[in-house]
Amino acid sequence: TGTTRPQRLLRAVQERATRGDSESVIAAIDHFCRHQEWAMNVGDEKGFILDSVVSEVSPQTALELGTYCGYSTVRIARLLPPGGHLITLEFNPNYAAVARQVIAWAGLEDMVQVVEGASGDWIPHLREHFGIESFDFVFLDHWKELYLPDIKLLEECGLLRKGTVLLADNVVCPGTPDYLEYVRKSQSYESHYFGSHLEYTRAEDGLEKSVYLG
Ligand SMILES: CNc1ncnc2c1ncn2[C@@H]1O[C@H](/C=C/CNC(=O)c2cc(-c3ccc(F)cc3)cc(O)c2O)[C@H](F)[C@H]1O
Ligand SMILES: [Mg+2]
């Protein structure tokens, strides 16, 4: 009964990063994934694109689907404007536990709510439970076949508004073909592809940014 990879990633953060310094937490995770063990964080190259989109949107309300170890959660939360808040959904309790500690080490726990459970179960209750009217920004990075059903659910629940920005990881590798076809063909979205590479590798991957038009 050894440790899990997320637990080893957390230990690397606690050993290498400075409490309260989100940049050092991001750097510690990238170092761990490059030099110790690969892990499915969005990574530094795609992370730079994520940063630029978050900075441009400057969201008061943000949603992340698939927290994993909290790497992209920290990247997003550190760029939120005053009063901004990020809700991140994670259904694996072990991952959620690690993510909470990574987020706390970065000193961002006041801007982030890690919600344990399945996106499909939680999305219909976000308004009543968190007083959310709609989301300014959504980052998709959970099971790839759930991207499409979950944005349709967000639409149905009225949680997207004119101008809401969706950013989806892995649209090339592992790939999200049904999601891509939908957002690129639908009259309700204006989409743009940002080419990049699979985290910590030379394989092709990229992010799809889709603006909801209502
Ligand atoms: C059921 N709805 C869910 N609700 C909340 N959290 C959820 C839900 N479903 C899963 N989660 C949670 O979301 C996470 C799932 C992330 C999946 N990510 C990937 O598979 C993924 C894979 C690769 C990859 C590429 C090449 C290769 F050779 C090997 C791997 C790269 C990537 O960047 C990825 O993001 C978490 F693990 C799971 O508990
Ligand atoms: Mg990913």
Side-chain angles (χ1 to χ4, degrees), residues 40-42 46 139-141 144 147 169-170 174 199 205:
M40 59 181 177
N41 314 119
V42 73
K46 288 187 289 177
F139 183 57
L140 298 98
D141 195 21
K144 308 313 160 193
Y147 284 20
D169 190 26
N170 310 117
E199 48 267 29
D205 190 19

Side-chain angles (χ1 to χ4, degrees), residues 12 16 27-39 44 200:
R16 283 202 204 102
I29 295 172
D30 285 332
H31 183 277
F32 175 79
C33 293
R34 241 179 231 298
H35 303 292
Q36 259 89 30
E37 303 181 57
W38 187 92
D44 48 354
Y200 317 115

